[in-house]
Amino acid sequence: MLRKMISAAAFALVLAAGTQAHAGGGKAKISVVFDQKLPNVPGKSMRAVMVEYAPGGMSPGHTHPNSAFIYATVLEGAIRSAVNDGPVKTYKAGESFAEFPGDHHSVSANASDTKPARLLAVFVLDTDETELTIDDK
């Protein structure tokens, strides 16, 4: 079973690596690239989301479901991020950060106006959650 999960994750990452960020700035492109119930944790799932920022692109302030723990790693470029009342920090390719249940992600943006950026966010959350991101109103 573990081998099957690892193979599925690797396949999803290979598919995601071939995608290109959309042009023109604006809102980030978000794609679910992996979704698997955790066999050893009833009621929980792991979902991975590819977030692609065009040059100058961003995501509006948002939260995630209260059940969600998130691990994010920058795959390409650099991303400016701020969680809760923390400072804005720039993460470069290869760097990672976490978001805890109930956190507010106030800043999430490409740090460059000329190059694309990509982020892989891995969620562990309740299986029945349908909305991964709730934009600020």
Side-chain angles (χ1 to χ4, degrees), residues 25 29 34 42 44 46 48 59 70-71 74 77-79 88 99 112 134-135:
K29 176 182 173 188
F34 182 78
K44 294 290 185 179
M46 180 182 292
S59 294
I70 302 156
Y71 163 81
V74 179
I79 293 174
V88 176
E99 290 183 54
S112 173
I134 301 100
D135 288 348

Side-chain angles (χ1 to χ4, degrees), residues 61-73:
H62 60 273
T63 57
H64 300 286
N66 286 333
S67 70
F69 170 78
I70 302 156
Y71 163 81
T73 188

Side-chain angles (χ1 to χ4, degrees), residues 33-89:
V33 296
F34 182 78
D35 188 354
Q36 176 69 50
K37 289 181 182 178
L38 296 177
N40 58 337
V41 186
K44 294 290 185 179
S45 288
M46 180 182 292
R47 293 189 192 133
V49 176
M50 182 67 63
V51 182
E52 300 174 274
Y53 298 90
M58 52 77 67
S59 294
H62 60 273
T63 57
H64 300 286
N66 286 333
S67 70
F69 170 78
I70 302 156
Y71 163 81
T73 188
V74 179
L75 301 176
E76 174 186 5
I79 293 174
R80 293 183 312 107
S81 180
V83 177
N84 297 323
D85 294 326
V88 176
K89 181 171 180 191

